[in-house]
Amino acid sequence: MSSPLTDLITHRDVLFVGGKGGVGKTAVASALALDSARSGRPTLVVSTDPAHNLGHLWGRRVGDDPVELAPLLRGLEIDPGRTTDAHLAAVRQTMRRLMPEHLQGEVDKHLDLARDAPGTHEAAVLERLAEVLEQRDRDELVVVDTAPSGHTTRLIALPELMQAWTEGLLSRQERSARFGAALRGLEGDRGEQAAADVVGFVPRYGEQPGDRGGDRRARRDAEIRRVLDRRQEQFRTLRELLQDRDRSAFVIVLAAERLPVLETVELHQQLTRSHMHVAALVVNKRSPADAGDLLAARRAVEEGYLAQLADELPDLPVVEVPLLPGEVLGEEGLTELARWLRGAPA
């Protein structure tokens, strides 16, 4: 019987793979990506997990620039630290260009503190992921190997939050621009100087508020608007993609144990609240029933947890992968895992 995962890698643009740490997310994501590439579809597997097991799994160096892992298959690891530094450097450059000189020190202080602020890494990773998805070829599948559940739900919820935040900034920027225009219209040069005081503009030596100062402010306002419009469009596009069940889906990987089952149910609820479609569950490393009393007893315990899972999430297709005799490493190990994922045991 065909596996529901086969349909996902064939007909979706983006496939997210997530779950509790240590259940085999990276291996499942890589096996699905390898299967997709071998079917003739260009595929990119992207890791957002700070642990970066993708390179270890494939036995080669994988970084923030895509590298070839197999024919038609590339791999990329988003480095949260490097991504955050690049993000803040771009923000710093923009702010230095837009803000008055006497506020440069405050800008630097704020951005230095922001580097380690809660949410900064997630926001930077999200922007890098949005960039990767924007640049994907039209026929390419992107398989995202996500961080453990808590990090993933924050990442998935961010597009909506960031879009709302950007809309708020745009609204404030528009009100500020209207306020400055009103002052200029009502009071001429005197109003121009008052508006300059409000936004913190200090004219250069010999520069009058009525000439180049107004032009500089207009250019600055226009550039701020362009930056915010670009961010808003980026997050809107990403949000629409994540919530489009015809283009993207989420696969949750778990072990047949108490904590992974409970975390799977919670992750499903959180993803559903973010309007993201969970398409399938992969139960990894199932104990065999015919390999001695110890493993048979273990399998009986697992059956109880899977019954609980079926009660909680009755409508989700479940793909079971047995505990394989060898370690899942490199192309050979991933090939065997891929057979089980598509419903054709080795």
Side-chain angles (χ1 to χ4, degrees):
M1 186 175 71
S2 177
S3 166
L5 301 176
T6 303
D7 177 72
L8 294 178
I9 63 175
T10 303
H11 298 111
R12 299 302 189 279
D13 295 334
V14 185
L15 189 61
F16 289 82
V17 179
K20 184 175 172 59
V23 296
K25 297 185 302 298
T26 302
V28 170
S30 293
L32 290 173
L34 179 61
D35 212 22
S36 170
R38 286 183 171 172
S39 73
R41 185 178 187 186
T43 305
L44 173 67
V45 57
V46 180
S47 172
T48 65
D49 190 343
H52 286 332
N53 292 320
L54 191 62
H56 300 312
L57 179 65
W58 284 91
R60 66 190 69 180
R61 183 177 180 82
V62 179
D64 199 51
D65 296 315
V67 299
E68 184 177 347
L69 300 175
L72 293 180
L73 176 60
R74 300 179 300 152
L76 182 151
E77 289 181 341
I78 295 178
D79 183 337
R82 175 181 168 183
T83 301
T84 299
D85 289 340
H87 168 75
L88 291 178
V91 173
R92 192 186 307 269
Q93 182 180 16
T94 301
M95 294 297 288
R96 282 184 172 276
R97 192 168 64 251
L98 299 178
M99 297 299 290
E101 292 182 8
H102 73 284
L103 292 180
Q104 298 298 320
E106 291 299 317
V107 169
D108 290 340
K109 184 190 301 183
H110 173 76
L111 292 178
D112 288 341
L113 291 173
R115 189 190 187 284
D116 297 315
T120 298
H121 282 208
E122 285 93 342
V125 169
L126 182 72
E127 289 200 38
R128 179 70 177 105
L129 180 59
E131 180 183 278
V132 169
L133 294 177
E134 281 180 340
Q135 294 173 352
R136 65 175 283 274
D137 294 335
R138 191 168 66 91
D139 297 327
E140 185 177 47
L141 170 68
V142 178
V143 180
V144 183
D145 168 35
T146 68
S149 304
H151 296 281
T152 298
T153 52
R154 289 196 295 273
L155 189 70
I156 296 299
L158 266 179
E160 185 168 359
L161 295 174
M162 295 291 280
Q163 186 180 359
W165 179 73
T166 303
E167 287 172 354
L169 289 179
L170 279 167
S171 177
R172 292 188 185 93
Q173 200 263 349
E174 288 170 357
R175 287 199 300 269
S176 175
R178 288 198 301 268
F179 177 62
L183 285 177
R184 289 192 294 274
L186 289 172
E187 301 185 25
D189 289 349
R190 191 158 56 88
E192 186 83 9
Q193 181 59 58
D197 293 340
V198 169
V199 299
F201 173 71
V202 178
R204 294 178 181 174
Y205 179 74
E207 189 175 82
Q208 297 302 315
D211 51 15
R212 287 198 297 142
D215 293 339
R216 282 190 65 205
R217 281 193 302 281
R219 288 195 300 271
R220 183 184 66 190
D221 287 348
E223 185 162 358
I224 290 174
R225 177 78 197 203
R226 282 194 299 271
V227 170
L228 293 178
D229 278 339
R230 167 61 182 154
R231 286 174 62 85
Q232 185 184 42
E233 176 63 19
Q234 185 179 54
F235 291 128
R236 184 191 64 77
T237 301
L238 180 59
R239 181 184 176 190
E240 289 178 354
L241 172 60
L242 296 183
Q243 296 179 354
D244 186 346
R245 62 186 297 150
D246 292 327
R247 297 185 61 205
S248 68
F250 203 104
V251 174
I252 302 178
V253 183
L254 68 146
E257 300 171 358
R258 180 176 181 273
L259 290 181
V261 166
L262 293 176
E263 195 161 316
T264 294
V265 173
E266 183 178 358
L267 176 58
H268 179 270
Q269 293 171 346
Q270 292 169 336
L271 292 170
T272 301
R273 282 197 296 270
S274 295
H275 306 288
M276 189 160 188
H277 175 51
V278 179
L281 305 175
V282 173
V283 182
N284 200 17
K285 302 179 182 179
R286 285 282 273 127
S287 299
D290 57 355
D293 292 342
L294 176 63
L295 289 176
R298 176 72 187 175
R299 185 177 179 89
V301 173
E302 293 174 359
E303 293 290 353
Y305 290 125
L306 292 187
Q308 177 185 348
L309 185 68
D311 288 340
E312 295 281 357
L313 303 173
D315 299 324
L316 278 180
V318 177
V319 177
E320 295 189 21
V321 176
L323 181 65
L324 299 176
E327 197 170 5
V328 178
L329 285 174
E331 195 165 340
E332 183 178 351
L334 292 169
T335 298
E336 184 178 4
L337 175 57
R339 291 195 191 104
W340 285 96
L341 292 174
R342 67 171 174 266

